[in-house]
Every structure is written in C-alpha cells, then in structure tokens.
Amino acid sequence: MFGRGRREFDRRGASEMDVPEKVTSRGSSEPDGPYDIAQAPDDDVYRLDLGSLRIPALDGMQVQFQVEESTGKPLTVLVTDGRSAMELSVFAAPKSRGLWDEVRAEILETIQGGGGSEADGRYGPELRMSLPTGRPGETVPGRMIGVDGPRWFLRAVVTGAAGQDPAAGPLLDAALRNLIISRGDGAMPVRDPLPLRLPKEATDHPDHPDGSGGPVASATSGRPEMPVRGARIAEIR
C-alpha cells in the first residue's frame, strides 16, 4: 500500500452499483476495453468518474488514490481485490503513434540485469519485473501492461498474486477491460499525465476512524512519471 493516510472506497457506501456478469460492446463473451470515451459501450456498468479515467465499481473491488500533498489531487489510482493490486496511470500520447513499444523498450533495457523480461499477455507484450516493497532489500513480482489509445497511453502495474500469475486476478482484469479513458481535446505534452480528480463518491464520504470513509491515499509532493522500475508499487497483504 502507499502508507498512512489511505482510506478505501467501500462500494457498500454507495448505491446502485450492481455490475452485469459480462459486459460486451460487440456481442462477444468478453468485454473489448479499455475504451476511449468516443467508443464507450452503452451499458449498465456503474463507473467512478475520475475525469480522465472512468473506473467500473465492481463488487469485491476497492479503489484507492495517491494524492498530491500541495493540491489534494489524485496522481495515481490503485484498485485491489484483497490479494492483488493494480496501479493505473494514463498519459498523453502522440496522434500519429502509440507509446507502449517505445516505453517498453526503454524499461526493458533497465530491468534485464535484475531478471526482468518481456512476455506475452492478454494485451500483447508486457513486462515482468521485481518491484520494491519499501522495505530494504525486499521485492515482489510485478507485471506492467501498456495499452495505446487515441492520443492516450494507459499503464497498469499489477502486484500481489496476479503480479506473478495473471489468472489470479480476474476481478482486476475485468476492471481493466471495462475502463473508459477520456483524453479531452486540449493540447498536452506527450508523456504528461492526464488530469485526475477525486470522484463524487469520495468527497461525499468524510473520513472515519475505522477507515470506512471515501477514498483518499497518502499524500506526496511528487507526480506520476512514465513507467520506471518500482514506481510507487508495494505489496498488498
């Protein structure tokens, strides 16, 4: 986890969040996302509106945030199922090409010496690596997934059980495949993070001593960068 100050979004604190067992935009047995907002399906899935990210509120999943200390704005989003975690970040990309091939090559060069490698995944090539937990000398297995969209690049870093075995995180996979990304029309430097905001469900639920309030993560003075080894990922216990 990200440390002190984290509160979790409990879906029981909101209403009407039932999600169909299967979601599809073209009649297939599986969803087709993540979706650009221009191609988003007209479905009954309840999604948390974070501005550039719309995250499905799936039963059994919790959503957490890492926020900037000076502004309180979320920088990255973490979804968990109790055994695994997936950190989500979305960045501006060029009109003419995707970023994942380029970013993946850059990272692979830095992690190969530590046992990192490239592997085939559900979304094509992904990276397998060891990520630090925050404890000296301790690491956990992780997977980095990249998805290129229209002028955006989505990064998902998975740790916990699903960081080693992709089949161990079906709920996280469902969340990823039902994401909606809203890039916006404004000009942005390539690789800059798209802006996020806390969803209404978070601001409507004040913090409680038992941690049952809305989702706010630990504060930081930094900002999300393009993928680097061990970027703000820790083991979920």
Side-chain angles (χ1 to χ4, degrees):
M1 294 189 180
F2 292 140
R4 61 188 179 87
R6 160 149 303 129
R7 293 182 291 154
E8 296 177 347
F9 175 65
D10 186 343
R11 76 176 291 279
R12 292 171 297 180
S15 60
E16 302 302 318
M17 289 195 181
D18 293 336
V19 178
E21 184 174 345
K22 292 183 179 180
V23 180
T24 177
S25 65
R26 293 190 285 269
S28 64
S29 61
E30 293 183 347
D32 305 308
Y35 302 95
D36 184 75
I37 194 167
Q39 287 83 40
D42 183 13
D43 56 32
D44 295 324
V45 177
Y46 186 97
R47 291 177 174 87
L48 303 177
D49 185 353
L50 280 69
S52 58
L53 278 178
R54 315 288 168 86
I55 299 180
L58 305 180
D59 190 15
M61 189 182 79
Q62 294 175 325
V63 182
Q64 304 168 351
F65 305 96
Q66 182 183 24
V67 299
E68 187 174 32
E69 187 174 13
S70 60
T71 65
K73 293 181 179 180
L75 299 175
T76 57
V77 185
L78 193 77
V79 297
T80 75
D81 63 5
R83 297 181 64 237
S84 306
M86 179 171 64
E87 186 193 61
L88 299 169
S89 301
V90 61
F91 304 87
K95 291 182 180 180
S96 58
R97 59 183 173 83
L99 283 178
W100 182 223
D101 286 347
E102 177 182 320
V103 169
R104 192 175 68 253
E106 293 172 2
I107 301 173
L108 185 60
E109 186 177 351
T110 69
I111 65 175
Q112 282 179 317
S117 63
E118 186 175 278
D120 290 331
R122 191 168 191 175
Y123 296 88
E126 62 181 47
L127 295 176
R128 308 287 175 88
M129 62 188 72
S130 296
L131 299 167
T133 65
R135 300 183 182 94
E138 185 179 69
T139 62
V140 293
R143 299 164 47 227
M144 184 177 291
I145 301 165
V147 180
D148 288 310
R151 300 175 63 211
W152 52 260
F153 166 67
L154 177 72
R155 178 195 72 189
V157 183
V158 182
T159 53
Q164 194 165 17
D165 177 11
L171 190 61
L172 300 186
D173 186 66
L176 183 60
R177 295 186 69 84
N178 283 286
L179 278 178
I180 294 174
I181 292 89
S182 178
R183 162 64 173 79
D185 297 325
M188 289 186 65
V190 171
R191 298 195 180 204
D192 264 19
L194 299 186
L196 298 172
R197 63 169 180 261
L198 289 176
K200 182 176 183 294
E201 291 83 355
T203 57
D204 284 351
H205 289 75
D207 197 11
H208 297 287
D210 63 1
S212 60
V216 176
S218 60
T220 175
S221 60
R223 58 177 256 170
E225 302 293 342
M226 287 303 294
V228 295
R229 188 178 179 186
R232 283 182 294 275
I233 294 295
E235 185 179 11
I236 301 301
R237 297 186 181 276

